[in-house]
Amino acid sequence: MNLKDEYIKFFVSKGHKQIPSAPVIPENDPTCLFTTAGMQPLVPYLMGQKHPAGTRLVDYQKCVRLNDLDEVGDKTHHTFFEMLGNWSLGDYFKEESIAWSFEFLTEVLHIPIKRLAVTVFKGNDTVEKDTESANYWKSHGIKEEKIAYLDAENNWWGPAGETGPCGPDTEIFYWRSNDDVPEKFDPEDERWVEIWNNVFMQYNKTDQGKFVPLKQKNVDTGMGYERVVAVLEGVDDNYQTSVWKDVIHKIEEISHLPYQGNEKSMRIIADHLRTSVMIAGEDIGIKPSNTDQGYILRRLIRRAIRHAKALNIDVSSHWEEQIASLLIEQYQEYYPEVKRNKEVILNVLKTEKEKFSKTLEKGLREFEKAISHLQDNVIPKEVAFKLYDTYGFPIELTIELASEKNMKVDEKGFQEKFKEHQEKSRMGAEQKFKGGLSGQGEMETKYHTATHLLNAALKEVLGSHVHQKGSNITPERMRFDFSHDKKMTEEEKQKTEDLVNDYIKRAIPVEKLEMKKEDALKLGAEAMFIDKYGDVVTLYKIGDVSLEFCGGPHVSNTSELPHFKIIKEEASSSGVRRIKAKLQ
Ligand code: SER
């Protein structure tokens, strides 16, 4: 028995017309990234527009919901799922809706009545208690003890966005446990799982927050396919059902590892690749990018890659193609677009994989390095931003890595830096357009901070007679002139280089300070040309390593600098030496 086919057949036998699934990317709706429910493409018809297929409709709808994205990896959550639904557009109402749901569950799916329970709306200021629905349930033999009356939090559905059709609902629960079915239904008991939702859509929520009766009374039902299959097959792990078995098996085969003990990564790979196949498989042609649906696609693929790596899958092999091909084969009968766009899908996955696998390893090392120097358990915004900007780690991936180590990420700080960066690139683009670069690019900024670190390291290694005599920075290298009267030994150079790299590793915050010049001098701040500065000066403080008069700009944390390497040490002029160095 195939649940999708049976569902369609049953409702067609009750006078419904089957309509095709709408794309998972909403058509003509820029306010929503994805289709999240079967009713979403039907909103105009629930509002009163005439549907060409009539007033009774049935379908299975591709849906993507992101609110549970972080939960994926457990037994039941998915980012993509299929929703079975039937609708009455001003046609039948509560009586038939409840009668047919009951008939389908007990006579087609053969669920024993004692394993069923329902919730109905207990009423509020807008709508009265739904005793009508409760009575219909009772007429089919559902006992009063198996009916729970709940508030709007639980038994009111919609609108899907801020405004639109909504109404009270009645939800159907199944006893998913080998324990004896209790006499009384407790909706809080997790052994009862919701399997179907029948919404009686008779109100329109306006933008003033009012509930206005719709022209017509509608029914909107939704049944989560994956969940009901799990119920029917008697397993509590969705990924062990017929929906996922072959895909999980394929991942076991590719990774040479058993599902048991590796569930989380295997579930994430399976779920995320399936959703990616569905998004990339739409005719509209979504490609991984840094905005909107493209960003979600990128996040999903990158997270799948990172979990493939966690399973020691050779990421450069055709693993993703094998899994995606299997998924396409499984879904093409229901969603022909995935077959039609197979080449596109495989290409999207491969290209994104090639892009990300180049930086993934380095980024993971960077992450490990950064956390080994943390004083607390919060990943600083600079580290998160560098992982994003340099290594292509979506912030969510960094958060996930952190949470695996019981750490948090300074998300707010990251968002600020992200905005700042966007602003900078916008300004940079404008500058370039005007025909000149300002010379304050990202690399120059990093080199600028490196001069402060080098200055401090040289003082440490050679002595306090060292002062900066000049510097010159390009995006590719730095030159630093300083007072010292003899050639540095190999050992001194090595020590200096190591010290700078040590400062970088320590992830020291770089702070900008403003104070009176005399106070700054009292603090022992290093200055190249004291007279150049006015009464109030700007200083940059790098922990206890360095305090220098300087106008900036600088990075905000030393960890943003890559590895520092001295290329050459030579004489510049009498009593002045010159170091050429690179950040690499
Ligand atoms: N719109 C309701 C839901 O998403 C029923 O289809 O649960």
Side-chain angles (χ1 to χ4, degrees):
M1 187 206 75
N2 180 298
L3 178 61
K4 269 187 288 213
D5 299 340
E6 292 297 325
Y7 188 87
I8 301 290
K9 203 166 86 190
F10 178 81
F11 282 98
V12 166
S13 81
K14 305 290 182 195
H16 293 64
K17 280 265 163 43
Q18 184 184 356
I19 54 170
S21 172
V24 80
I25 311 294
E27 291 164 317
N28 310 319
D29 186 357
T31 63
C32 268
L33 286 187
F34 296 105
T35 303
T36 59
M39 56 76 73
Q40 205 171 307
L42 295 173
V43 169
Y45 310 104
L46 293 162
M47 300 286 286
Q49 196 177 310
K50 249 180 133 49
H51 194 286
T55 54
R56 295 184 182 192
L57 309 175
V58 60
D59 76 3
Y60 43 84
Q61 171 65 48
K62 296 183 280 188
C63 299
V64 170
R65 281 190 192 175
L66 302 172
N67 36 351
D68 294 328
L69 204 154
D70 294 334
E71 314 292 332
V72 176
D74 68 4
K75 291 176 178 174
T76 55
H77 287 94
H78 310 296
T79 48
F80 170 89
F81 66 99
E82 295 173 87
M83 195 185 267
L84 305 171
N86 58 283
W87 289 272
S88 154
L89 303 172
D91 188 318
Y92 60 86
F93 204 45
K94 296 181 183 176
E95 184 175 3
E96 294 88 335
S97 173
I98 288 172
W100 292 334
S101 290
F102 185 81
E103 184 182 337
F104 183 71
L105 292 173
T106 55
E107 287 176 33
V108 179
L109 303 185
H110 303 292
I111 295 178
I113 183 168
K114 69 165 193 191
R115 297 187 95 88
L116 294 174
V118 300
T119 60
V120 297
F121 187 47
K122 78 170 188 190
N124 63 9
D125 298 344
T126 317
V127 180
E128 60 183 17
K129 181 176 174 180
D130 195 3
T131 26
E132 192 188 346
S133 289
N135 286 337
Y136 291 130
W137 284 119
K138 282 189 245 173
S139 76
H140 296 293
I142 299 282
K143 296 208 183 93
E144 179 70 32
E145 301 79 60
K146 292 288 178 59
I147 303 176
Y149 298 83
L150 304 179
D151 60 12
E153 184 84 10
N154 297 289
N155 280 105
W156 185 277
W157 201 90
E162 289 295 304
T163 60
C166 55
D169 64 15
T170 175
E171 297 186 358
I172 308 168
F173 287 73
Y174 173 83
W175 180 252
R176 180 198 220 172
S177 167
N178 291 329
D179 302 339
D180 287 345
V181 188
E183 280 303 310
K184 189 158 170 60
F185 168 44
D186 172 9
E188 296 292 311
D189 185 333
E190 285 181 359
R191 288 170 293 182
W192 287 106
V193 290
E194 187 214 323
I195 53 172
W196 205 348
N197 185 10
N198 294 20
V199 187
F200 304 119
M201 286 194 160
Q202 43 182 326
Y203 295 95
N204 176 33
K205 188 176 177 192
T206 67
D207 44 13
Q208 276 109 43
K210 289 216 176 71
F211 295 91
V212 181
L214 287 169
K215 272 196 226 154
Q216 62 194 35
K217 289 182 176 177
N218 308 295
V219 175
D220 154 42
T221 89
M223 178 191 264
Y225 175 69
E226 282 72 6
R227 189 184 291 181
V228 176
V229 169
V231 161
L232 295 175
E233 294 181 4
V235 281
D236 72 343
D237 175 354
N238 286 5
Y239 295 86
Q240 296 274 276
T241 65
S242 54
V243 176
W244 287 111
K245 250 188 4 238
D246 293 350
V247 176
I248 295 293
H249 187 67
K250 178 62 78 191
I251 301 172
E252 285 181 311
E253 202 182 282
I254 293 170
S255 63
H256 307 291
L257 289 171
Y259 178 58
Q260 216 185 3
N262 298 291
E263 291 93 341
K264 182 171 177 199
S265 287
M266 291 198 183
R267 289 169 186 157
I268 289 174
I269 294 169
D271 174 88
H272 286 14
L273 285 187
R274 181 175 71 165
T275 309
S276 302
V277 163
M278 293 298 173
I279 296 174
E282 293 295 1
D283 292 323
I284 191 171
I286 301 288
K287 299 279 182 300
S289 73
N290 286 333
T291 51
D292 300 336
Q293 292 101 343
Y295 180 64
I296 303 299
L297 182 57
R298 168 158 284 166
R299 255 173 84 182
L300 293 168
I301 300 174
R302 293 191 173 196
R303 190 166 181 229
I305 294 171
R306 124 114 161 113
H307 281 277
K309 220 173 151 45
L311 295 179
N312 285 323
I313 291 176
D314 172 7
V315 174
S316 64
S317 72
H318 294 295
W319 65 282
E320 87 291 353
E321 183 183 320
Q322 292 178 54
I323 300 167
S325 300
L326 176 60
L327 286 161
I328 292 168
E329 207 175 289
Q330 286 179 346
Y331 284 93
Q332 62 190 17
E333 184 191 339
Y334 295 96
Y335 308 111
E337 54 278 13
V338 294
K339 183 175 185 189
R340 196 160 62 234
N341 298 318
K342 180 172 176 181
E343 288 312 309
V344 175
I345 298 170
L346 297 183
N347 202 27
V348 159
L349 293 174
K350 183 158 174 268
T351 312
E352 186 63 9
K353 177 187 83 173
E354 286 170 354
K355 242 188 218 153
F356 187 49
S357 48
K358 273 195 213 125
T359 55
L360 171 64
E361 187 112 13
K362 280 195 203 131
L364 289 172
R365 256 186 271 136
E366 182 76 28
F367 176 81
E368 293 295 333
K369 191 176 90 184
I371 61 172
S372 66
H373 297 287
L374 288 186
Q375 318 284 331
D376 55 18
N377 67 346
V378 182
I379 312 272
K381 58 184 179 190
E382 293 78 15
V383 174
F385 188 74
K386 184 175 183 193
L387 287 171
Y388 168 81
D389 194 38
T390 312
Y391 302 105
F393 281 38
I395 181 67
E396 297 80 6
L397 184 57
T398 304
I399 295 171
E400 183 183 358
L401 289 167
S403 81
E404 285 169 10
K405 309 247 179 213
N406 286 322
M407 291 181 161
K408 288 196 162 16
V409 177
D410 176 4
E411 285 180 56
K412 211 173 138 239
F414 170 85
Q415 296 303 347
E416 279 162 21
K417 262 195 98 61
F418 182 75
K419 272 206 202 100
E420 224 172 80
H421 173 77
Q422 277 182 321
E423 183 69 7
K424 259 196 213 149
S425 10
R426 188 183 61 73
M427 277 163 26
E430 281 167 11
Q431 285 279 350
K432 258 186 230 164
F433 192 68
K434 280 187 208 141
L437 268 173
S438 65
Q440 300 295 13
E442 206 180 330
M443 266 332 277
E444 284 98 322
T445 307
K446 289 180 181 171
Y447 273 119
H448 194 177
T449 306
T451 61
H452 288 217
L453 297 180
L454 177 58
N455 197 4
L458 286 167
K459 272 192 216 302
E460 188 75 32
V461 175
L462 303 175
S464 57
H465 62 275
V466 169
H467 294 288
Q468 180 174 349
K469 291 288 165 198
S471 78
N472 177 286
I473 287 169
T474 75
E476 282 81 35
R477 54 108 187 107
M478 62 185 271
R479 240 170 41 201
F480 185 81
D481 296 353
F482 60 100
S483 46
H484 185 57
D485 58 10
K486 45 181 182 295
K487 191 174 166 54
M488 285 174 78
T489 63
E490 280 311 314
E491 208 199 349
E492 287 169 338
K493 278 195 273 182
Q494 192 58 52
K495 263 194 182 161
T496 307
E497 195 181 71
D498 290 349
L499 208 48
V500 172
N501 283 315
D502 186 55
Y503 299 148
I504 294 174
K505 267 203 220 124
R506 275 165 52 194
I508 312 168
V510 180
E511 296 165 63
K512 184 177 177 177
L513 309 172
E514 265 178 28
M515 62 180 82
K516 283 206 190 125
K517 186 159 82 180
E518 50 189 41
D519 293 340
L521 288 170
K522 267 189 230 150
L523 283 176
E526 176 83 4
M528 206 168 32
F529 311 105
I530 292 177
D531 300 335
K532 192 178 109 178
Y533 299 96
D535 276 350
V536 175
V537 295
T538 309
L539 301 157
Y540 274 86
K541 179 176 187 301
I542 308 178
D544 55 6
V545 171
S546 152
L547 180 67
E548 279 197 44
F549 283 68
C550 178
H554 284 282
V555 300
S556 4
N557 188 292
T558 57
S559 66
E560 287 174 67
L561 306 188
H563 187 80
F564 174 83
K565 183 146 185 56
I566 294 178
I567 305 295
K568 208 170 182 186
E569 191 272 340
E570 61 190 4
S572 166
S573 58
S574 164
V576 178
R577 307 289 303 178
R578 169 170 292 177
I579 280 180
K580 284 188 185 153
K582 271 177 177 287
L583 288 171
Q584 47 192 207

